[in-house]
Amino acid sequence: MLTSAAWAETRLGHRFADAALLDAALTHRSAGRQNYERLEFLGDAVLNFTVAVLVYRAFPVADEGDLSRYRATLVSGQSLADVANGLALGDQLRLGSGELKTGGFRRDSILADALEALVGAVFLDGGTDAASAVVARLFAGRLADLPQAAADLKDPKTRLQELLQARGHRLP
């Protein structure tokens, strides 16, 4: 099994200068006081910003609503968990005994939170360019798979409401 540092360099494409940031990003709150919660907060903001730039550039004629739908799709909890699973992030996490017993390393919410923490750690370790490069690499395939029409991303309830409103009907 790879060390955390080797895993990060191989999977994220980032070599950490500050190993403590990587350690914190991989530590769940159930496993210690130095955990990923603060990094998760920062990583969420960096991830949203970076993905917003990516969709802005990828869809030059999309309006604000469409760009928001694209970004929301890419940074949804399920999308983040899927990316984390693709990285085998769960194998790198340090969890307390309770979380280990209940399979926390496979739980989507924990994987999504840890991915955000990793982005925050990369940002603090290497700056905006390093974090943007990691996010672009991790989300390139998902960005390419987005439909050209953002309306295809709307949930059925939203589509029904818009159809009824367009025809002058009351909402259910």
Side-chain angles (χ1 to χ4, degrees), residues 26-36 90 92-105 107 110:
L26 296 175
T27 303
H28 186 264
R29 70 174 172 230
S30 65
R33 281 180 29 108
Q34 291 291 79
N35 59 59
Y36 64 58
Q92 298 298 316
L93 294 178
R94 285 183 279 292
L95 304 169
S97 61
E99 286 295 342
L100 279 172
K101 288 176 186 172
T102 61
F105 60 93
R107 190 170 303 123
I110 288 176

Side-chain angles (χ1 to χ4, degrees), residues 84-125:
N85 274 314
L87 295 170
L89 176 54
D91 296 340
Q92 298 298 316
L93 294 178
R94 285 183 279 292
L95 304 169
S97 61
E99 286 295 342
L100 279 172
K101 288 176 186 172
T102 61
F105 60 93
R106 288 188 309 265
R107 190 170 303 123
D108 285 350
S109 60
I110 288 176
L111 292 170
D113 292 349
L115 182 63
E116 289 176 336
L118 275 171
V119 170
V122 171
F123 173 77
L124 290 176
D125 189 68

Side-chain angles (χ1 to χ4, degrees), residues 108-169:
D108 285 350
S109 60
I110 288 176
L111 292 170
D113 292 349
L115 182 63
E116 289 176 336
L118 275 171
V119 170
V122 171
F123 173 77
L124 290 176
D125 189 68
T128 305
D129 290 344
S132 294
V134 167
V135 171
R137 182 180 304 109
L138 295 179
F139 287 86
R142 292 180 175 283
L143 182 64
D145 289 343
L146 287 173
Q148 287 300 309
D152 294 344
L153 298 174
K154 291 180 185 177
D155 62 278
K157 179 182 173 185
T158 300
R159 281 191 249 159
L160 175 62
Q161 288 175 334
E162 288 177 353
L163 177 69
L164 291 172
Q165 287 175 333
R167 294 187 178 170
H169 298 290

Side-chain angles (χ1 to χ4, degrees), residues 33-44:
R33 281 180 29 108
Q34 291 291 79
N35 59 59
Y36 64 58
E37 287 184 327
R38 286 177 50 85
L39 290 169
E40 175 193 348
F41 166 79
L42 181 60
D44 175 66

Side-chain angles (χ1 to χ4, degrees), residues 40-56 67-68 70-76 80 116 119 135 139:
E40 175 193 348
F41 166 79
L42 181 60
D44 175 66
V46 172
L47 189 60
N48 272 286
F49 168 75
T50 305
V51 168
V53 172
L54 291 172
V55 298
Y56 184 86
L67 293 172
S68 293
Y70 287 134
R71 184 188 65 217
T73 297
L74 291 173
V75 300
S76 71
L80 297 180
E116 289 176 336
V119 170
V135 171
F139 287 86

